[in-house]
Amino acid sequence: MKLSTFAPLALSVAPSLVSAATGSLGFALGTKNADGSCKAQKDYEADFDAISANTPAKVVRGYSASDCNSAQYILPAAKSKNFQVVLGIWPDVDTSYNADLSAITKNAPNYADQVWGITVGSETLYRGNFTGAQLAAKMSAVKTATGGKFKIGTADSWNKYADGTADAVIKSGPDFLFINAFGFWQGAAIANASHTYFDDISQSFNHIESIAGTGKIELWTGETGWPTTDQTKYEAAVGGVSNAQTFYTSGICSMLNYGYNAFYFEAFDEPWKPASIGLNGQPADETHWGAMNADRTTKFPLKC
Ligand SMILES: *[C@@H]1O[C@H](CO)[C@@H](O)[C@H](O)[C@H]1NC(C)=O
Ligand SMILES: *[C@@H]1O[C@H](CO)[C@@H](O)[C@H](O)[C@H]1NC(C)=O
């Protein structure tokens, strides 16, 4: 998730989302406890218990497999709680790329059934770190380094798929692509927030499928969500528990009911994160995006 405005794109007539079986839900999951210490296996197990108790989700995604040695601890926890994990490689700099790849090649083969897939990069195109071709080359290198045994994809902002920046990635034939779409950071009022989200997803899915063909690449919402503190505002978007519940119900639940898969950002609040200020000078709190509180209690019902 990153703070920014988005260049307006031509509005498609209506989201061309069609119904299929109910989609799958997943959650972004951090590597640290509320106090900032690294999670141990038992902490991930408690996370999985809370997610299972309150939602139908059986998959979580991380961003860097070496951060807090997460691959080492989350995979056995996932095995004991019957979850799958998307392991992350942060390729922006060689140090993190090498550390994450090595954490994956060391830990993933022992827990192959727990590995849903591997993301190479999170919003790297959005940050302008790589061209599509450079990112595709990194993804291909990871596919080779992991013996072709795991699904490989990336996650990026919806507009980078819709505007052609990711075309080389799409053409390279990834196993999956995650599309991040935050109506909140597009300044959408809550009444229009799910419309904005559906429109983002519709534009990016349509562009990807126009290149790759329908159903060739597994597509998920990679991140969406709404902050639960009213201190966080962006243009017409205002945080708060009630607005987050509205977005969860009208955005996430509708997307799943349309038959599409989605990760919610994120499972639990992360109060250890430093306070931050957005581009608009307002507080841009990244500590209260959890569907659940840091103590793993719910803020509102999470079953659709
Ligand atoms: C990617 O961006 C980070 C900062 O966000 C920078 O430190 C790094 O050098 C960049 N890497 C490449 C390959 O451009
Ligand atoms: C609602 O969202 C759509 C899609 O992002 C946008 O085109 C439209 O301008 C928004 N409407 C209002 C009233 O903000």
Side-chain angles (χ1 to χ4, degrees), residues 73-232:
Y73 300 117
I74 198 172
L75 289 171
K79 182 164 187 173
S80 77
K81 300 296 179 182
N82 194 26
F83 264 72
Q84 284 197 308
V85 180
V86 183
L87 296 169
I89 292 182
W90 196 262
D92 301 31
V93 290
D94 286 346
T95 334
S96 59
Y97 174 86
N98 290 330
D100 289 339
L101 180 58
S102 134
I104 287 172
T105 52
K106 185 169 162 208
N107 294 290
N110 301 329
Y111 292 94
D113 290 346
Q114 267 58 58
V115 179
W116 186 94
I118 299 168
T119 50
V120 183
S122 173
E123 301 189 346
T124 62
L125 300 178
Y126 176 72
R127 286 194 299 279
N129 253 155
F130 300 122
T131 63
Q134 287 168 332
L135 178 57
K138 297 264 180 208
M139 293 163 69
S140 166
V142 171
K143 187 83 171 177
T144 303
T146 51
K149 292 193 188 77
F150 301 107
K151 293 196 285 186
I152 307 290
T154 190
D156 224 298
S157 183
W158 69 275
N159 54 330
K160 295 290 133 186
Y161 294 108
D163 73 6
T165 308
D167 282 3
V169 172
I170 298 165
K171 287 175 188 157
S172 75
D175 297 300
F176 66 90
L177 292 172
F178 289 170
I179 290 93
N180 300 352
F182 285 93
F184 187 89
W185 296 125
Q186 288 164 264
I190 189 61
N192 200 38
S194 50
H195 178 175
T196 301
Y197 168 46
F198 299 152
D199 190 53
D200 297 346
I201 292 298
S202 174
Q203 287 187 44
S204 48
F205 279 30
N206 286 344
H207 184 82
I208 291 166
E209 296 196 331
S210 75
I211 291 176
T214 305
K216 293 285 193 286
I217 303 173
E218 185 171 351
L219 302 178
W220 285 60
T221 296
E223 293 182 3
T224 192
W226 201 269
T228 56
T229 167
D230 58 14
Q231 299 298 300
T232 303

